[in-house]
Amino acid sequence: MHKTPIANDPFANAESHFVEVGDFQLHYKRLGSGPRLILLLHGSFLSLRSWRHIIAPLAETATLVAFDRPVCGRTSRPLPRGKGPSPYAAESQADLVADLITALGFEKAILIGHSTGGTVSVLTALRHPERVEGLVLVGAMIFSGYATSEVPKPVLVGMRALKPLFWRFMRFLIGRLYDPALKKFWHGPEGFPEADLAAYRADFMQGPWGQAFFELFLASHKLDLDPRLPEIAIPTLVVTGDHDRAVPAEESRRLAARLPQAELAVIPECGHMPHEETPEAFLEALNPYLRRLGLMG
């Protein structure tokens, strides 16, 4: 398989932008100038740099925007106040995506979501179908992990009452487990590049990241997406690495079978991050889908 990066890091020289959406100052980078929008949603513990190997070709087909999702990168990390919905809840994040699309000057977008970014992409399509014209779901967590996790209510009450103690403990655990967890996202013998690992760690551990991540943890709950998947009647591409250990390939096969207009692409000899580990193979799978949407000749 091709594992040579398409480009080093086009985002490195791209200007950073910030836009206020909801409770957040969202950090994003924008390339291309096409009349249609491709919006990139990275996975948990990562940042917009996750897309650096594939953005140059995509920016030739559309306006391409990648942003740092809440709790990640240079996006602000506000701490919730009051008793309203948490800005870190999955539903709030889906609403955030819909509002970002219009804030960028577009009516709708093609969402490319990786891992939990795929979860939020699916939820956006369900809550705001008028804003989503296509979906690319890369190792999306729909039947396990983030989409199904929920803290029992009695435990939740105790954790909220002792919030300073628990967020400090969680920050300690993440600090210890961060590198081993990301390394499991990779399949190839070369392993997760150490320079990338250090860059992601620096992106993630900014500001009050421990407190913000704990708020996201507290806001997590079962989303029950499975029964609603047939409602998503838009062209969808489901992508998985055949050695994905975070979201097994079988879950992506199941997802493709549940979506009315979905196609499945299985990338061999690849783990949870095909757009980083095998970028050329990822683009080979993506390009026919984009052609069907009229974005490529």
Side-chain angles (χ1 to χ4, degrees):
M1 293 304 300
H2 301 292
K3 297 193 177 184
T4 303
I6 299 294
N8 258 341
D9 188 355
F11 278 151
N13 296 320
E15 182 181 356
S16 285
H17 300 276
F18 291 86
V19 60
E20 184 173 348
V21 183
D23 294 321
F24 296 92
Q25 285 288 333
L26 289 177
H27 172 241
Y28 70 95
K29 294 197 175 186
R30 179 171 181 158
L31 294 173
S33 58
R36 294 163 75 183
L37 174 65
I38 297 176
L39 189 61
L40 306 174
L41 289 78
H42 63 77
S44 295
F45 303 107
L46 302 172
S47 67
L48 58 74
R49 78 170 64 245
S50 182
W51 305 105
R52 66 199 177 284
H53 297 321
I54 66 166
I55 59 171
L58 293 184
E60 296 175 2
T61 68
T63 295
L64 188 75
V65 171
F67 71 103
D68 287 327
R69 290 179 52 219
V71 191
C72 298
R74 296 176 63 188
T75 285
S76 64
R77 291 160 172 77
L79 301 180
R81 297 174 181 174
K83 296 184 178 180
S86 170
Y88 295 103
E91 293 85 355
S92 299
Q93 292 195 48
D95 297 345
L96 186 78
V97 171
D99 290 342
L100 175 60
I101 291 169
T102 57
L104 291 170
F106 292 85
E107 291 296 317
K108 58 181 62 176
I110 298 160
L111 305 182
I112 302 181
H114 170 238
S115 196
T116 58
T119 314
V120 174
S121 296
V122 166
L123 196 54
T124 304
L126 289 169
R127 291 173 66 84
H128 304 279
E130 75 284 359
R131 296 284 173 240
V132 183
E133 65 169 311
L135 285 173
V136 179
L137 305 173
V138 188
M141 285 189 174
I142 305 298
F143 308 110
S144 63
Y146 174 67
T148 61
S149 61
E150 187 168 52
V151 181
K153 288 186 178 179
V155 177
L156 191 62
V157 171
M159 296 182 85
R160 289 190 184 279
L162 299 172
K163 188 180 290 188
L165 173 65
F166 278 102
W167 76 252
R168 287 186 175 90
F169 178 65
M170 182 168 286
R171 184 177 65 177
F172 168 77
L173 282 181
I174 293 173
R176 294 291 299 271
L177 300 176
Y178 186 88
D179 289 12
L182 260 63
K183 287 178 179 179
K184 290 182 179 179
F185 290 171
W186 207 268
H187 169 67
E190 68 277 16
F192 204 112
E194 290 295 332
D196 292 348
L197 199 60
Y200 279 131
R201 176 183 276 271
D203 288 344
F204 182 69
M205 297 179 183
Q206 295 190 36
W209 68 268
Q211 293 154 284
F213 186 84
F214 187 63
E215 293 293 344
L216 185 149
F217 175 79
L218 292 176
S220 299
H221 62 96
K222 294 179 182 178
L223 299 177
D224 294 320
L225 295 173
D226 188 5
R228 298 193 61 192
L229 293 175
E231 300 175 28
I232 302 177
I234 55 175
T236 304
L237 176 66
V238 178
V239 183
T240 182
D242 64 347
H243 287 82
D244 190 334
R245 289 185 285 176
V247 178
E250 184 52 42
E251 290 192 21
S252 290
R253 292 188 178 94
R254 178 183 171 190
L255 176 60
R258 293 284 291 150
L259 293 165
Q261 295 189 41
E263 297 183 27
L264 174 69
V266 180
I267 298 180
E269 298 302 317
C270 181
H272 187 52
M273 305 172 74
H275 52 295
E276 294 201 56
E277 187 173 1
T278 57
E280 291 183 352
F282 179 81
L283 286 171
E284 287 172 6
L286 179 61
N287 287 343
Y289 170 80
L290 296 179
R291 279 194 288 272
R292 285 192 291 275
L293 292 184
L295 285 175
M296 302 179 70

